[in-house]
Amino acid sequence: MTALAEATPDALWATSLRRWNTVCWLLFAVMAAGLVAIDRPGGSKYAALALLGGVVLSYAVLDRFPANPVVRPHVYLSVLVVALGGLAYLRGNYAALFMVTLPHYWMFGRTPRASMVFLGLAAAATLAASVLRQDGLTVEFLTETLVSTVLVVAVGALIGLWAHSVVGQSAERAQLINELEQAQAELSEAHQRQGAADERERMAREIHDTLAQGFASIIVLAEAARAGLGTEPARSAQQLRSIESTARENLAEARELVGSPQRPGQAAAGSVAQTLRRTLDRFAEDTGLTVDADLADLECDQQTRIALLRCTQESLANVRKHARASTVGVVLARQPYGVELEITDDGTGFVVESSSGFGLDGMRKRLAELGGRLTVTSSVGDGTRVLALIPPTAAESEATA
């Protein structure tokens, strides 16, 4: 592979260089056959064959073994300059070799400056040898040799500079394409990592809102049942039944998470009011707290129903674990600006700014995915108010039209 071919990413240029390489070999063969068959035996014939043989040998070594330590590109060009000068001195049929080897100055020159230097040396060598062969500056030399050589060199220089420019642009384009492909690969990898992180966060939220809350309820119920075994057997029996029911629900949730990872946590059938009512009744039965509910019978899309259910479950779980409340109020209503879910309790309250936990953050993110927001208002000793707002969706708009 030649120097210019190595720098050429374009398949068209690589093909053109291979074809030109074939033409060179054919010309070398024709010139050698012509020298052997036509020229008369003599010193000039053998000298011409030796010069042509040196060019052919150097070119073959460089073409077949481009990394060899002896015949380097500039060494071959030097041999070519000497051979052209020698053939121009021995005979006048050097022009064909000069024209066909013009691309070699650009293929092996490495840089445009080096290519122009060797091309100038070749032109000077052929002109000087022609002057010596013709015994001075004859009319034939000035009108034929000089003009034709200058034209060939000028055309070769223009074509070579153009070829180097095109090859440079092709190399730059190939580099840009490679950088673009690398950037796309990095972007795709980043998207995959982000997608995996988002999926892990989503699954963690689902597990917290379903399985973790269920297990927490089981623990609380089990502790209450154990404490009341001797004094309130009926109450303890009810709590054991609640434990069994909660465990079954958790098992169903776990199977749904495993079986349908893309659509976990489906809300139970029925309207959102019915779904929340069942949750509130179960909470009142398990805790013995008073629950005042005002639930409007709304038609919501599935994502909104799940978000409202999870916000209710998380709020009730916080009341159970932290509030020490006696009464819980739940209001579900449709407002002009969307669906509102308000959950209040008369418990101990807390400082919202200093609170941290996965539950509140999970509710905020779940509502944010639907374009909604969560507002928590509380202070120590004054209870807590949780307000979830979900703006109207296309499905809700169709349902109310």
Side-chain angles (χ1 to χ4, degrees):
M1 185 64 70
T2 62
L4 186 60
E6 290 174 352
T8 305
D10 197 322
L12 177 61
W13 280 103
T15 302
S16 301
L17 291 173
R18 286 195 296 270
R19 291 175 178 174
W20 198 274
N21 185 51
T22 303
V23 171
C24 285
W25 285 112
L26 290 175
L27 176 65
F28 291 153
V30 169
M31 290 185 65
L35 289 173
V36 172
I38 299 176
D39 281 11
R40 291 174 297 175
S44 62
K45 174 180 179 178
Y46 298 130
L49 285 173
L51 290 172
L52 181 61
V55 172
V56 172
L57 178 62
S58 299
Y59 181 66
V61 172
L62 186 59
D63 183 60
R64 298 297 296 175
F65 308 101
N68 78 89
V70 179
V71 183
R72 306 303 301 153
H74 287 181
V75 173
Y76 165 71
L77 292 179
S78 301
V79 172
L80 183 58
V81 168
V82 172
L84 286 171
L87 289 174
Y89 178 76
L90 295 173
R91 57 192 62 251
N93 60 350
Y94 67 91
L97 179 63
F98 196 0
M99 287 187 292
V100 173
T101 56
L102 274 176
H104 291 185
Y105 298 98
W106 303 98
M107 294 162 64
F108 300 111
R110 298 294 185 182
T111 64
R113 176 178 293 183
S115 300
M116 291 296 296
V117 168
F118 280 106
L119 184 58
L121 290 175
T126 55
L127 291 175
S130 297
V131 170
L132 293 175
R133 181 172 58 84
Q134 296 177 12
D135 297 324
L137 299 175
T138 63
V139 175
E140 178 184 358
F141 172 80
L142 295 175
T143 57
E144 296 181 6
T145 306
L146 179 61
V147 173
S148 61
T149 302
V150 170
L151 286 176
V152 169
V153 172
V155 172
L158 291 175
I159 294 176
L161 290 173
W162 173 77
H164 258 283
S165 175
V166 172
V167 168
Q169 292 176 0
S170 298
E172 183 179 357
R173 184 171 61 250
Q175 182 179 0
L176 290 175
I177 292 174
N178 182 58
E179 292 176 354
L180 178 60
E181 292 176 348
Q182 184 177 0
Q184 289 176 337
E186 293 175 355
L187 182 61
S188 176
E189 184 179 353
H191 284 166
Q192 290 178 352
R193 290 196 301 268
Q194 184 61 43
D198 292 342
E199 180 64 14
R200 284 195 298 270
E201 182 179 350
R202 186 185 66 80
M203 290 298 296
R205 188 170 64 234
E206 294 294 341
I207 291 173
H208 175 272
D209 291 348
T210 55
L211 302 183
Q213 297 292 4
F215 289 139
S217 298
I218 290 174
I219 292 173
V220 173
L221 290 170
E223 291 175 347
R226 183 179 57 187
L229 281 176
T231 58
E232 297 181 285
R235 176 72 174 168
S236 297
Q238 174 59 40
Q239 290 167 338
L240 290 174
R241 287 193 293 271
S242 296
I243 289 174
E244 180 183 1
S245 177
T246 303
R248 292 184 184 277
E249 291 174 1
N250 267 22
L251 180 59
E253 293 280 3
R255 287 172 175 171
E256 190 170 353
L257 284 171
V258 174
S260 303
Q262 299 301 322
R263 298 182 295 104
Q266 300 295 315
S271 70
V272 64
Q274 293 173 337
T275 303
L276 296 185
R277 175 63 67 182
R278 286 193 293 265
T279 302
L280 296 174
D281 291 344
R282 178 71 173 276
F283 174 80
E285 180 181 347
D286 292 343
T287 62
L289 300 181
T290 301
V291 177
D292 294 329
D294 181 7
L295 307 177
D297 192 10
L298 306 178
E299 292 297 330
C300 301
D301 62 277
Q302 185 72 348
Q303 286 185 321
T304 301
R305 293 174 62 203
I306 294 173
L308 293 173
L309 174 62
R310 296 307 181 217
C311 287
T312 302
Q313 290 174 330
E314 176 64 25
S315 299
L316 295 179
N318 289 335
V319 171
R320 183 201 299 263
K321 289 185 291 185
H322 309 297
R324 294 199 294 273
S326 59
T327 303
V328 177
V330 180
V331 177
L332 174 68
R334 184 184 299 279
Q335 304 293 347
Y337 43 82
V339 176
E340 271 190 355
L341 174 66
E342 181 185 49
I343 302 173
T344 59
D345 68 73
D346 59 356
T348 57
F350 64 100
V351 179
V352 178
E353 292 74 14
S354 62
S355 66
S356 62
F358 192 87
L360 291 178
D361 289 340
M363 283 195 288
R364 289 191 178 96
K365 292 179 180 178
R366 186 185 292 276
L367 293 173
E369 291 175 356
L370 301 177
R373 67 177 184 271
L374 181 74
T375 303
V376 180
T377 306
S378 182
S379 60
V380 177
D382 291 333
T384 302
R385 175 177 179 264
V386 176
L387 180 63
L389 171 63
I390 302 178
T393 63
E396 292 172 333
S397 299
E398 292 176 2
T400 58

